[in-house]
Amino acid sequence: GGKRDGEGDYDGAIEYYTRAAGLGDAGAHFDLSRMYQEGKGVEMNEKKVWHHLEQAAIGGHPKARHNLACLEEVNGRRDRAVKHWIIAANQGVDDSLEILKHAFGKGNVSKEDFAAALRG
């Protein structure tokens, strides 16, 4: 899928990613979320972006967890976003840790939540 995606063969990439996602591949779910978000080879579809990000995050994909947190924040669900960022930070996503550090400095994240991110 990645090779086809990189070559601009979005239909082929979507076919591959869809097949792999059906087999539970978290990376394929992440790639599908990106394709639906950017409208590459498919109509842009926010519902499918969320679905594939959630499936990728459940499957352990760190960047999907981070992106899911960002979407939650944009949609006004800060508590959910913080939980996702903590998990992503524990999985090694530096961007999530930086967001939590900044939010903690502004008083938007509790000391306990920030400490949980640092324990990872």
Side-chain angles (χ1 to χ4, degrees), residues 15-83:
E15 182 181 336
Y16 174 85
Y17 292 146
T18 300
R19 225 177 305 145
L23 296 171
D25 185 291
H29 277 293
F30 178 74
D31 289 327
L32 281 169
S33 75
R34 183 179 46 77
M35 301 291 276
Y36 281 107
Q37 188 167 28
E38 297 171 5
K40 287 186 174 181
V42 291
E43 290 281 325
M44 293 173 76
N45 185 320
E46 188 175 346
K47 187 175 180 180
K48 289 186 179 184
V49 170
W50 279 88
H51 168 75
H52 289 294
L53 273 180
E54 288 170 347
Q55 292 303 306
I58 289 167
H61 195 286
K63 188 69 176 170
R65 183 69 69 174
H66 172 82
N67 289 2
L68 194 55
C70 294
L71 285 179
E72 294 285 11
E73 174 73 8
V74 167
N75 283 284
R77 295 185 290 266
R78 173 162 290 191
D79 289 348
R80 290 178 60 98
V82 167
K83 290 176 184 175

